[in-house]
Amino acid sequence: MKTIKTVAFIGLGVMGYPMAGHLAKQGLTTRAYNRTYSKAEAWAKEHGGTAHATPKEAAEGADLVLVCVGNDDDVRQVTTGVDGVLSTMASGSILVDHTTASADLALELDNACREKGVAFLDAPVSGGQQGAENGALTVMCGGEQHHFDAVAPVLNHYAKAVTLMGPASSGQLTKMVNQICIAGLVQGLSEGLHFAEQAGLDQQQVIDVISKGAAGSWQMDNRHKTMIADEYNHGFAVNWMRKDLGICLEQARRLDATLPVTALVDQFYADVQRMEGGRWDTSSLLKRLRKPE
């Protein structure tokens, strides 16, 4: 694979904006596209890259194209759609999809890329907005080893861990495991904090004690303070988590895997949405348990 010097980043949301910024900061020629063009212009002004009106325009001449958008349909629009990146990507270039999407889509894109002579990796990320801003994401990849070896040094600019999990779709399947585990952890933390509150315990003191033992987790370390304060206007939104859990549950049905806790927590998040909390952070499961003032 040739040396990657020019990259295109498609999707400048809360994750993509800082991720693309890390690439520009490392001296890569970075071409940016966002559905709202003014945001791409603002990014280019801040980071020194260039803004483009369509995905295909951004991808033209790029050695590597990175996509980070909302869902399967969004990915299709910016990749195989009329103005999608595959219409201008050159043979020998590489497409990496960071969107959390279905395994079916990963296989679909892998086939579409092969027809164009383009390499493909599905590479969903974990770590949230904070991880993107700090360059500390975890990236789980599916694809071929030599393609992974070519892009890993670039992905390392915004990641603390980049791992090839297997062939195409393996990254998405691994991300499903990640979301399944998180769902149970957040519900458990919410119930624990709720129990402590109802029992009249000092919630912070409780966390200080139990976080040093087997109950400790990333969720506990990074979300307990805002949960205790009943603050949820940050982090990964409930709406997106329900999208991800829907993907997990659909895949589980195909695999004959049983996910009772995941299915239950998905419905708890539906309750949060009915509380008009779709944009709240996923830790808002605690809000559902607390009695109204």
Side-chain angles (χ1 to χ4, degrees):
M1 305 295 291
K2 63 182 180 180
T3 302
I4 296 170
K5 297 180 179 179
T6 301
V7 299
F9 207 102
I10 311 300
L12 301 173
V14 295
M15 302 291 289
Y17 196 101
M19 290 164 73
H22 287 297
L23 301 182
K25 185 184 294 186
Q26 292 299 320
L28 290 163
T29 300
T30 308
R31 302 163 62 86
Y33 165 80
N34 193 68
R35 184 159 46 190
T36 303
Y37 181 65
S38 59
K39 193 166 188 179
E41 287 184 307
W43 180 90
K45 183 176 180 180
E46 179 179 350
H47 294 286
T50 55
H52 299 271
T54 63
K56 69 178 183 181
E57 181 184 309
E60 190 168 6
D63 306 311
L64 169 65
V65 176
L66 303 132
V67 174
C68 189
V69 291
N71 56 36
D72 284 26
D73 289 341
D74 294 330
V75 175
R76 289 188 180 97
Q77 183 178 2
V78 301
T79 56
T80 58
V82 175
D83 290 321
V85 298
L86 282 176
S87 62
T88 53
M89 289 182 70
S91 177
S93 59
I94 308 171
L95 173 63
V96 171
D97 182 23
H98 283 312
T99 310
T100 296
S102 69
D104 284 352
L105 178 65
L107 295 172
E108 179 185 319
L109 284 178
D110 185 55
N111 288 331
C113 286
R114 288 177 187 277
E115 291 177 2
K116 295 276 189 176
V118 172
F120 174 74
L121 290 162
D122 55 291
V125 302
S126 179
Q129 182 177 351
Q130 183 179 352
E133 291 172 350
N134 295 334
L137 293 170
T138 295
V139 188
M140 41 216 100
C141 302
E144 296 183 15
Q145 183 71 54
H146 62 295
H147 298 153
F148 172 80
D149 292 340
V151 302
V154 176
L155 306 189
N156 277 322
H157 292 321
Y158 45 71
K160 65 179 179 181
V162 182
T163 307
L164 181 64
M165 305 304 300
S169 81
S170 298
Q172 296 296 355
L173 291 168
T174 304
K175 180 62 184 287
M176 292 177 208
V177 176
N178 185 79
Q179 301 305 74
I180 291 164
C181 293
I182 287 173
L185 283 170
V186 179
Q187 179 63 19
L189 178 58
S190 298
E191 291 184 16
L193 287 172
H194 174 63
F195 181 91
E197 185 174 40
Q198 293 299 105
L201 295 170
D202 182 321
Q203 292 167 287
Q204 184 60 59
Q205 187 178 34
V206 169
I207 294 297
D208 289 344
V209 172
I210 70 172
S211 63
K212 296 178 176 63
S217 68
W218 184 97
Q219 293 291 334
M220 185 175 288
D221 291 343
N222 290 274
R223 290 289 178 261
H224 78 272
K225 289 184 182 295
T226 49
M227 291 171 76
I228 292 171
D230 206 33
E231 296 173 354
Y232 309 108
N233 295 317
H234 61 276
F236 188 59
V238 167
N239 286 341
W240 291 117
M241 186 60 160
R242 284 215 76 201
K243 182 265 292 185
D244 291 358
L245 294 183
I247 292 171
C248 296
L249 293 168
E250 173 59 30
Q251 190 69 41
R253 282 189 283 270
R254 299 182 186 188
L255 298 174
D256 196 26
T258 306
L259 305 179
V261 173
T262 303
L264 185 61
V265 175
D266 178 58
Q267 291 307 301
F268 291 164
Y269 278 125
D271 292 342
V272 175
Q273 288 177 319
R274 284 188 284 271
M275 296 166 62
E276 300 185 354
R279 293 183 178 273
W280 293 345
D281 177 72
T282 51
S283 61
S284 57
L285 285 173
L286 177 58
K287 185 85 167 176
R288 176 183 165 276
L289 298 174
R290 278 178 164 151
K291 295 177 180 178
E293 294 292 335

